[in-house]
Amino acid sequence: FWRVFKNTIVINLMQIIIGFPIPIIFAIFLNELWSNKFKKVVQTVSYLPHFISWVVAASIIVTMLSPSSGLINKAIEAMGGEPVYFLAKQEYFRMIIVLTAVWKELGMQSVYYIAALASIDTELYEAAKIDGAGKIKQAIHVTLPGLLPIISILLILKIGQMVTIGFEQIFLLYNPLVYDVGDVISTYTYRLGIEQTQYSL
């Protein structure tokens, strides 16, 4: 239990530290795009993975990371390296979980921030320009303070879900070789409670 509890907390912390800021940065960059058509294309492409089920997403990820025919291992081999079975290596598994979750939910999570950016008064940007602020200073002194209320709310909600984690993603990607680092409360309970009929769990 303590192993799976620790894994649940560690993966959630990694998702907060790595995964939480990425949609914010993405929304700010998207807001700065000059072409509305290009912005819409980027937004649409970033939303698409959210609508794919984890079964389909996991099959794409497993195929991409395959040691024999995966795109990533083909690139490693092309650069003179040895193929790596990423999903069977404990040192890579947690990062794969975090990065694939970010990839799948990036577009949908950035919607909140894009909506908040639309509510920031444009006069604040004009005042910052008059004061000599460039794009980076505008982002730091106008955009981020404007996003702070929604960032705070979403961060509190994310922290409130620390002991829950998506069952499907881990269940579809893990295997016995990575149980030590990838087994979380939900998968452990399913394996022992349902598969081994220990219903008391």
Side-chain angles (χ1 to χ4, degrees):
F1 171 78
W2 291 113
R3 176 172 56 85
V4 298
F5 182 76
K6 178 190 161 196
N7 290 341
T8 306
I9 298 296
V10 168
I11 292 170
N12 269 309
L13 281 172
M14 286 175 73
Q15 286 184 343
I16 289 171
I17 294 163
I18 298 165
F20 190 78
I22 293 174
I24 300 167
I25 296 162
F26 178 72
I28 292 168
F29 279 127
L30 207 58
N31 194 50
E32 295 299 321
L33 286 177
W34 46 270
S35 169
N36 276 336
K37 277 188 179 178
F38 184 62
K39 187 188 288 190
K40 284 177 184 173
V41 169
V42 172
Q43 255 182 308
T44 305
V45 170
S46 70
Y47 292 159
L48 288 176
H50 173 77
F51 299 103
I52 300 171
S53 76
W54 265 116
V55 176
V56 176
S59 65
I60 293 168
I61 294 157
V62 169
T63 305
M64 292 277 288
L65 297 175
S66 166
S68 56
S69 60
L71 194 65
I72 292 167
N73 274 308
K74 289 289 180 194
I76 291 169
E77 284 178 331
M79 291 186 283
E82 290 289 316
V84 179
Y85 191 3
F86 290 102
L87 291 172
K89 298 272 187 186
Q90 292 189 4
E91 60 268 31
Y92 298 122
F93 187 75
R94 285 178 180 159
M95 191 55 72
I96 290 168
I97 292 296
V98 172
L99 294 178
T100 52
V102 168
W103 162 73
K104 194 168 183 305
E105 296 303 324
L106 173 69
M108 199 46 79
Q109 286 180 0
S110 67
V111 168
Y112 308 121
Y113 305 112
I114 291 165
L117 284 167
S119 68
I120 297 172
D121 191 352
T122 52
E123 287 180 10
L124 293 171
Y125 289 106
E126 287 166 17
K129 276 182 195 171
I130 291 165
D131 288 342
K135 289 285 185 188
I136 293 170
K137 284 199 173 182
Q138 285 176 40
I140 293 167
H141 298 292
V142 179
T143 308
L144 282 176
L147 289 176
L148 210 54
I150 191 75
I151 290 170
S152 305
I153 291 165
L154 292 176
L155 185 59
I156 290 164
L157 290 171
K158 188 82 176 160
I159 291 168
Q161 298 172 340
M162 280 298 285
V163 290
T164 61
I165 197 160
F167 168 78
E168 297 133 315
Q169 180 194 11
I170 293 174
F171 183 73
L172 292 165
L173 292 175
Y174 85 157
N175 58 70
L177 294 170
V178 292
Y179 280 171
D180 284 347
V181 294
D183 205 13
V184 294
I185 294 169
S186 53
T187 55
Y188 176 75
T189 308
Y190 173 79
R191 224 175 49 253
L192 269 70
I194 306 297
E195 288 185 344
Q196 295 182 25
T197 64
Q198 294 181 38
Y199 296 121
S200 58
L201 277 173

